[in-house]
Amino acid sequence: MINIRTARESDLPAILTIYNHIILNTTAIYQYEPQTMEMRKAWYDGRMKDGLPIFVAESDGQVAGFSSYGPFRAWPAYKYTVENSVYVASDQRGKGIGKLLILPLITAACNSNLHAIIAGVDATNEASLRLHKSFGFEEVAHFKQVGYKFGRWLDLKFLELLLDTPEHPGDK
């Protein structure tokens, strides 16, 4: 049985392990170097300070994946748009954990009166593209050769989910 819950600080070692494995072995994250525990702690503390969600999938007492969202861009008018992240441990993929992790992000975004969720996905990551599309995300951009990793150029796709929020939320 897989349980989805809000992440705790004690989950950070498992989150770091999942994240670093993805950095070192996939094109899902366009980074080269693994993160340190201090970097993940700063990420966690920043999310908590800003009231941004982090969810974990727990299977047999172990963290099997995590999801979160954060600011899409830094300028104030983007405050109703976030960019999501969903990561699953390599030995837990294909079990539907990604679907379980994305749903609470959408719910949290709706509850926070957000209007759009953006997903930046490597163009070859068919599993992530299918996952997002299954929740109604639509491809809105395909950037060619914007990343370089593992000796090759990488294309990045942006997918977007528009949420049912007030039409004119105001400028403040």
Side-chain angles (χ1 to χ4, degrees), residues 14 20 38 41 49 51 71 77-79 91 96 110 115-116 119 128 142 144 148 160 165:
N20 282 343
E38 292 74 25
K41 175 83 166 71
K49 179 179 131 317
Y78 289 107
K79 67 184 173 184
D91 64 340
C110 288
H115 185 65
S128 186
H142 184 141
K144 295 182 185 280
Y148 189 83
E160 178 183 42
T165 54

Side-chain angles (χ1 to χ4, degrees), residues 2 5 8 32 43 47 68 75 82 86-87 89 92 98 101 103 116 124 133 136 140 150 167 170:
I2 297 166
R5 61 171 173 76
R8 300 184 282 255
Y32 301 126
W43 168 83
R47 291 286 196 269
S68 185
W75 296 286
V82 291
V86 179
Y87 302 113
Q92 298 294 315
L101 283 166
L103 188 56
T124 63
K133 288 177 181 178
V140 293
F150 302 134
E167 192 172 325

Side-chain angles (χ1 to χ4, degrees), residues 1-168:
M1 168 127 185
I2 297 166
N3 178 45
I4 304 299
R5 61 171 173 76
T6 300
R8 300 184 282 255
E9 190 172 335
S10 61
D11 297 320
L12 286 177
I15 287 171
L16 180 66
T17 297
I18 292 167
Y19 197 74
N20 282 343
H21 185 272
I22 291 168
I23 288 172
L24 293 172
N25 296 286
T26 78
T27 57
I29 301 172
Y30 287 14
Q31 280 184 253
Y32 301 126
E33 299 298 323
Q35 289 203 331
T36 64
M37 183 55 71
E38 292 74 25
M39 294 164 82
R40 272 290 98 173
K41 175 83 166 71
W43 168 83
Y44 177 86
D45 290 345
R47 291 286 196 269
M48 295 300 102
K49 179 179 131 317
D50 294 339
L52 299 170
I54 305 171
F55 298 101
V56 296
E58 194 174 58
S59 178
D60 296 323
Q62 302 294 315
V63 174
F66 69 98
S67 63
S68 185
Y69 63 66
F72 172 63
R73 299 191 78 185
W75 296 286
Y78 289 107
K79 67 184 173 184
Y80 296 103
T81 302
V82 291
E83 185 171 357
N84 78 336
S85 300
V86 179
Y87 302 113
V88 178
S90 61
D91 64 340
Q92 298 294 315
R93 294 183 192 139
K95 298 179 179 181
I97 293 171
K99 284 187 176 189
L100 296 173
L101 283 166
I102 203 168
L103 188 56
L105 288 180
I106 295 169
T107 300
C110 288
N111 291 340
S112 296
N113 202 32
L114 296 172
H115 185 65
I117 303 174
I118 305 296
V121 180
D122 182 80
T124 63
N125 190 339
E126 291 297 329
S128 186
L129 293 169
R130 278 192 311 274
L131 168 68
H132 284 87
K133 288 177 181 178
S134 75
F135 281 92
F137 283 75
E138 295 180 11
E139 184 177 326
V140 293
H142 184 141
F143 301 102
K144 295 182 185 280
Q145 299 183 11
V146 294
Y148 189 83
K149 190 172 178 182
F150 302 134
R152 66 183 193 275
W153 289 107
L154 307 174
D155 289 5
L156 179 68
K157 292 186 177 190
F158 271 10
L159 291 87
E160 178 183 42
L161 178 66
L162 294 178
L163 305 171
D164 187 21
T165 54
E167 192 172 325
H168 300 288

